[in-house]
Amino acid sequence: MSKINLYPNDEEAKKMIVEIGRRMYIKNFVAANDGNISCKVGDEVIWTTPTGVSKGFMSEDDMVKMRLDGTIIKQGARKPSSEVKMHLRIYNERTDIGAVCHAHPPISTSFAIAGIGLNQAIYPEAIVNLGTVPCVHYEMPGSQQLPDSIAPY
């Protein structure tokens, strides 16, 4: 009996990342080059977005393939985002997670700046689909403190 593959292949993962990035950009969930997307293609391997590229204008050739220990397997002209540490921490803490999408929607960012978690049933569909969204203490992008701050959640 053959093993069921729980992960997309490399080409599928890169296509999905590009499409999700385009959708995030169109909906103004990201501005400039912020936000990041990654997707597992194996128990220990992900594809992720590069640094310095607008999520609305990425190509599959821009993606970076890495191991969950941070080792880069394949990259184009750009390195992975410094915030990939957050993605790696999530995958290492939660083996059931298959993808991470990190965006900066203006309303969510406003709540975060005010220090208010999204923990009330203001929008029922969000509560059903996401549950509550805690407000995590701000840490500098790219620092080790950033993934450490989200680990409890």
Side-chain angles (χ1 to χ4, degrees), residues 122-143:
I122 298 168
Y123 190 50
E125 290 84 353
I127 297 299
V128 170
N129 292 321
L130 298 174
T132 60
V133 180
C135 188
V136 177
H137 179 72
Y138 177 82
E139 296 294 348
M140 289 295 293
S143 70

Side-chain angles (χ1 to χ4, degrees), residues 27-31 34 103-118 122-123 126 133-135:
K27 291 187 174 276
N28 294 317
F29 289 171
V30 290
D34 58 338
H104 296 193
I107 291 178
S108 299
T109 300
S110 299
F111 274 87
I113 290 168
I116 302 169
L118 301 174
I122 298 168
Y123 190 50
V133 180
C135 188

Side-chain angles (χ1 to χ4, degrees), residues 61 63 89 118 121:
D61 293 336
M63 299 306 123
R89 181 66 176 262
L118 301 174

Side-chain angles (χ1 to χ4, degrees), residues 10 28 39 42 46-47 57 61 71 82 88 94 105 108 115 120:
D10 289 343
N28 294 317
C39 180
I46 65 169
W47 280 98
F57 299 95
D61 293 336
T71 305
S82 62
L88 297 175
R94 295 276 311 271
S108 299
Q120 296 181 13

Side-chain angles (χ1 to χ4, degrees), residues 19-87:
E19 177 61 17
I20 295 299
R22 186 186 68 76
R23 291 180 187 194
M24 287 170 45
Y25 180 81
I26 288 170
K27 291 187 174 276
N28 294 317
F29 289 171
V30 290
N33 299 333
D34 58 338
N36 307 99
I37 308 161
S38 62
C39 180
K40 276 180 140 180
V41 290
D43 289 339
E44 298 292 323
V45 180
I46 65 169
W47 280 98
T48 188
T49 52
T51 189
V53 174
S54 169
K55 302 309 159 279
F57 299 95
M58 296 183 300
S59 76
E60 293 173 34
D61 293 336
D62 291 325
M63 299 306 123
V64 179
K65 189 174 189 179
M66 7 181 8
R67 297 190 192 289
L68 293 187
D69 66 5
T71 305
I72 295 173
I73 299 169
K74 182 178 181 182
Q75 73 181 56
R78 298 178 188 271
K79 297 177 184 178
S81 164
S82 62
E83 293 185 355
V84 76
K85 291 177 186 176
M86 183 171 50
H87 295 235

